[in-house]
Amino acid sequence: MIRILIVDDHNTFAELLAEALDREADLCTVGLANNGRRAIELCDTLRPDLVVLDYHLPDESGLSVAALILAQAPATRIVMLTGDPTPEVLERAASIGVCAFLPKDGSLIGMLDTLRHARVGGFMVHPSLVAQLSAQWRLHEYNPAVQALTRRELEVLHLMARGNDVRANALTLGISENTCRGYVKSILAKLEVHSQLEAVVSATRLGLVGVNERV
């Protein structure tokens, strides 16, 4: 019997999933949590074998919660749900010890199969999420603006997406404000936009920055 904790702030989804799991002879739900803090508390008291964890939680990211859970109980298997992965998120998830990534709108049969076969040390990504990532990579590969941006310009762009001003970005990167303004000017020219806000919107559309980075 695989004992499962479900962590999701959409209560209807969590309750329906729990009912589906409890109909299976080899699976059972031991608890529900709707935020990261509660998930960590329940993992400590219930010691589930596996956690179905939403990437987007109201108080913190699913990756942060996964890291804390695995620090307390390394043998716990974690299957994460998301609809918008990025290469960076998948890389961090794998390094933390997450066992699998599934789309939240995927099939129940596929999820049940993944829950049964998730293993510590393994890392499975649903084909539909792989297809999304492949599309992002193709967009990056063939977009001239993406090819033209330097590593430093991408760093400045990520800081811009967090809402930082030129002075703060310059301090973070250890460069002068004039140098930072030069990078901003170059970014605007390469993305063919007229303001930092337009640059962030364009970069989000191109997949250069994540939606969660934007203010």
Side-chain angles (χ1 to χ4, degrees):
M1 181 71 71
I2 301 174
R3 303 171 65 254
I4 300 171
L5 172 68
I6 300 172
V7 184
D8 197 296
D9 63 330
H10 292 85
N11 293 332
T12 301
F13 173 84
E15 290 169 3
L16 289 174
L17 178 58
E19 290 177 6
L21 297 182
D22 291 340
R23 287 196 293 267
E24 302 296 314
D26 57 340
L27 306 173
C28 73
T29 305
V30 295
L32 303 176
N34 60 11
N35 60 61
R37 181 185 57 80
R38 182 58 176 159
I40 294 165
E41 291 175 353
L42 288 179
C43 278
D44 188 45
T45 57
L46 299 174
R47 296 291 177 178
D49 302 308
L50 187 147
V51 179
V52 176
L53 177 62
D54 191 10
Y55 174 66
H56 296 291
L57 295 174
D59 52 349
E60 53 188 310
S61 80
L63 289 180
S64 299
V65 175
L68 290 170
I69 291 173
L70 292 172
Q72 295 176 346
T76 307
R77 288 165 276 170
I78 295 181
V79 172
M80 190 160 285
L81 306 180
T82 186
D84 54 351
T86 66
E88 294 77 17
V89 167
L90 293 184
E91 182 178 356
R92 187 179 171 208
S95 67
I96 288 172
V98 171
C99 296
F101 251 105
L102 296 178
K104 197 168 182 177
D105 59 354
S107 72
L108 176 61
I109 293 175
M111 179 181 291
L112 295 177
D113 185 63
T114 298
L115 298 183
R116 291 184 171 108
H117 294 95
R119 295 291 179 267
V120 173
F123 189 62
M124 297 182 289
V125 181
H126 192 274
S128 68
L129 299 182
V130 173
Q132 287 185 43
L133 291 172
S134 297
Q136 290 182 32
W137 288 326
R138 286 194 298 272
L139 178 62
H140 288 193
E141 181 180 358
Y142 295 112
N143 188 282
V146 174
Q147 292 177 334
L149 288 170
T150 66
R151 179 184 61 82
R152 179 63 91 182
E153 287 166 352
L154 286 170
E155 290 175 346
V156 172
L157 186 56
H158 278 273
L159 292 173
M160 286 165 53
R162 295 171 189 169
N164 299 339
D165 59 19
V166 169
R167 183 173 181 276
N169 292 344
L171 287 171
T172 299
L173 297 172
I175 59 179
S176 70
E177 290 185 37
N178 284 338
T179 299
C180 191
R181 288 191 185 94
Y183 285 128
V184 172
K185 184 177 179 180
S186 178
I187 290 168
L188 299 186
K190 289 178 179 180
L191 294 180
E192 299 181 345
V193 295
H194 303 289
S195 69
Q196 293 191 44
L197 178 58
E198 286 182 275
V200 172
V201 172
S202 178
T204 303
R205 178 177 55 80
L206 292 170
L208 293 174
V209 299
V211 173
N212 291 335
E213 290 185 83
R214 294 172 54 184
V215 294

